Amino acid sequence: MTYVEIFEVGPRDGLQNEKRLIPISEKVALVDCLSGAGFRRIEVASFVSPKWVPQMADSADVLAQITRVQGVSYAALAPNLRGFDAAVNARADEVAVFASASEGFSRANLNCSIVESLARFGPVMDAARAAGIPVRGYVSCVTDCPFDGPVAPGDVAHVVAALRDMGCYEISLGDTLGGATPDRIAAMLRAVVQELPADRLAGHYHDTGGRALENIEASLEFGLRVFDAAVGGLGGCPYAPGASGNVATETVHDWLVARGWDTGLDRDVVANAARMARAMQKGHA
Ligand code: HMG
Ligand code: MG
């Protein structure tokens, strides 16, 4: 069987959009459960402005209180050097910078243009290199932007190339709105693989339109072997109006296993985590 990695992003992408301020103990319990499922990487924190995303304001406490499992990389978002320093102080194993392929979403999510956002990442990359911290890159709005409409594949490839040149070890391609179709994902990937090989790309597909699995299937055909997902299908980005959660980890797992792929995950533990995540969403974990 061939391995496909599911990168669990529920504790960050999933929870960041929840309106109820979730107690730290619930977040820690979810991460601790996920740590026993067999994931290699779990995104657990986000060192962004607490005014922009209040739910993530306690990220340092979450990282301090989880029980770390050897072999699991605990990841955090860092939009600028301040976020990077906070992530390192909290002992994040890796960080992620996040850019957009469209100007409208870049303004809404980062309050600056694409070029300005890339300039802010420069010092993050330098500091990460000096500290030996791996940096992942995200590109949002790889097919559609909530503000600018359809996004050209070449625009995505352009930002991918910029993040590659800065030193991101892997780049995750975000269908932020969750409205992509397999043919448009394929068109986007045809342009992107000219800049970065498939083994350094990941698919990050929100499931608003219910076609995330088909988009994963199209991406597998291009050679992608890493997909981001959130237990319980939690979440979304507060700055992407109309978008819903990430594709659910348990759904991706079952779909992959049924097609002969190995995820290395314990299905019972994933199911427990999904139950916890759904209860957190309803407000009674
Ligand atoms: P800004 O207002 O332009 O920047 O925000 P600023 O430098 O003027 O800072 C504003 C305030 O934030 C200041 O505080 C700063 O000190 C503070 P004040 O002086 O007003 O009290 N600040 C910070 N605080 C904590 N940590 C920091 C930090 N930086 C500044 N790192 C900024 C610019 C980037 C900070 C803001 O736009 C921001 O935080 N944006 C993040 C939005 C976000 O987190 N979105 C969700 C994650 S992305 C996502 O979900 C997409 C993804 O899943 C992929 C996909 O689905 O496509 C990854
Ligand atoms: Mg996302």
Side-chain angles (χ1 to χ4, degrees), residues 9 12-13 16 138 140 174-176 204 206 236-237 246:
V9 295
R12 193 281 302 172
D13 203 349
Q16 73 180 8
Y138 280 104
S140 288
D175 173 18
T176 317
H204 177 107
H206 287 258
C237 176
N246 284 95

Short mmCIF file of all heavy atoms in Angstrom, two decimals, residues 9 12-13 16 138 140 174-176 204 206 236-237 246, ligand 2:
data_model
loop_
_atom_site.label_atom_id
_atom_site.label_comp_id
_atom_site.label_asym_id
_atom_site.label_seq_id
_atom_site.Cartn_x
_atom_site.Cartn_y
_atom_site.Cartn_z
N VAL A 9 -5.46 19.70 10.53
CA VAL A 9 -5.44 21.15 10.79
C VAL A 9 -6.62 21.59 11.67
O VAL A 9 -6.83 22.78 11.87
CB VAL A 9 -5.41 21.98 9.47
CG1 VAL A 9 -4.13 21.74 8.71
CG2 VAL A 9 -6.64 21.70 8.61
N ARG A 12 -6.44 24.23 14.50
CA ARG A 12 -6.19 25.62 14.05
C ARG A 12 -7.27 26.06 13.06
O ARG A 12 -8.12 26.87 13.39
CB ARG A 12 -4.79 25.71 13.42
CG ARG A 12 -4.29 27.14 13.20
CD ARG A 12 -4.88 27.83 11.98
NE ARG A 12 -4.62 27.11 10.72
CZ ARG A 12 -5.17 27.46 9.57
NH1 ARG A 12 -6.00 28.49 9.49
NH2 ARG A 12 -4.93 26.76 8.48
N ASP A 13 -7.29 25.49 11.88
CA ASP A 13 -8.24 25.95 10.87
C ASP A 13 -9.66 25.65 11.32
O ASP A 13 -10.59 26.42 11.07
CB ASP A 13 -7.97 25.26 9.53
CG ASP A 13 -8.49 26.05 8.34
OD1 ASP A 13 -9.24 27.02 8.55
OD2 ASP A 13 -8.16 25.69 7.20
N GLN A 16 -10.48 28.07 14.62
CA GLN A 16 -10.32 29.53 14.51
C GLN A 16 -11.61 30.25 14.16
O GLN A 16 -11.77 31.44 14.45
CB GLN A 16 -9.24 29.88 13.48
CG GLN A 16 -9.67 29.66 12.04
CD GLN A 16 -8.59 30.02 11.03
OE1 GLN A 16 -7.46 30.30 11.37
NE2 GLN A 16 -8.94 29.99 9.75
N TYR A 138 1.35 28.42 2.73
CA TYR A 138 -0.01 28.24 2.22
C TYR A 138 -0.24 29.25 1.10
O TYR A 138 0.19 30.40 1.20
CB TYR A 138 -1.05 28.56 3.29
CG TYR A 138 -1.33 27.49 4.32
CD1 TYR A 138 -0.80 27.60 5.60
CD2 TYR A 138 -2.15 26.41 4.03
CE1 TYR A 138 -1.09 26.64 6.57
CE2 TYR A 138 -2.44 25.45 4.99
CZ TYR A 138 -1.91 25.57 6.25
OH TYR A 138 -2.19 24.63 7.20
N SER A 140 -3.71 30.69 -0.50
CA SER A 140 -5.18 30.65 -0.45
C SER A 140 -5.78 31.03 -1.80
O SER A 140 -5.11 31.60 -2.65
CB SER A 140 -5.69 31.64 0.61
OG SER A 140 -5.41 31.16 1.90
N GLY A 174 -4.71 26.11 -1.07
CA GLY A 174 -5.99 26.24 -0.39
C GLY A 174 -7.15 26.61 -1.30
O GLY A 174 -7.15 27.67 -1.94
N ASP A 175 -8.14 25.70 -1.36
CA ASP A 175 -9.44 26.10 -1.91
C ASP A 175 -10.21 26.67 -0.72
O ASP A 175 -11.00 25.99 -0.07
CB ASP A 175 -10.17 24.90 -2.52
CG ASP A 175 -11.60 25.29 -2.93
OD1 ASP A 175 -11.87 26.50 -3.05
OD2 ASP A 175 -12.44 24.39 -3.11
N THR A 176 -9.95 27.92 -0.45
CA THR A 176 -10.42 28.59 0.76
C THR A 176 -11.94 28.65 0.82
O THR A 176 -12.55 28.46 1.88
CB THR A 176 -9.85 30.03 0.78
OG1 THR A 176 -8.49 29.96 0.38
CG2 THR A 176 -9.97 30.67 2.13
N HIS A 204 -5.38 21.52 0.19
CA HIS A 204 -6.08 22.02 1.40
C HIS A 204 -7.46 22.47 0.93
O HIS A 204 -7.65 23.61 0.52
CB HIS A 204 -5.26 23.18 1.97
CG HIS A 204 -5.86 23.85 3.16
ND1 HIS A 204 -5.37 23.71 4.45
CD2 HIS A 204 -6.92 24.71 3.30
CE1 HIS A 204 -6.07 24.43 5.29
NE2 HIS A 204 -7.02 25.06 4.62
N HIS A 206 -11.38 23.08 1.36
CA HIS A 206 -12.60 23.24 2.16
C HIS A 206 -13.73 22.58 1.37
O HIS A 206 -13.62 22.36 0.16
CB HIS A 206 -12.84 24.73 2.44
CG HIS A 206 -11.88 25.28 3.46
ND1 HIS A 206 -12.23 25.50 4.76
CD2 HIS A 206 -10.56 25.61 3.37
CE1 HIS A 206 -11.18 25.96 5.43
NE2 HIS A 206 -10.14 26.03 4.61
N GLY A 236 -13.21 26.89 9.00
CA GLY A 236 -13.27 27.84 7.91
C GLY A 236 -12.49 29.07 8.30
O GLY A 236 -12.02 29.19 9.41
N CYS A 237 -12.34 29.96 7.34
CA CYS A 237 -11.57 31.18 7.61
C CYS A 237 -12.54 32.32 7.86
O CYS A 237 -13.43 32.57 7.06
CB CYS A 237 -10.67 31.50 6.42
SG CYS A 237 -9.79 33.06 6.64
N ASN A 246 -13.10 22.64 6.61
CA ASN A 246 -12.20 21.76 5.85
C ASN A 246 -12.92 20.44 5.62
O ASN A 246 -13.80 20.06 6.38
CB ASN A 246 -10.94 21.46 6.66
CG ASN A 246 -9.98 22.61 6.68
OD1 ASN A 246 -9.97 23.42 7.59
ND2 ASN A 246 -9.16 22.70 5.65
MG MG B 2 -8.15 26.80 5.45
#
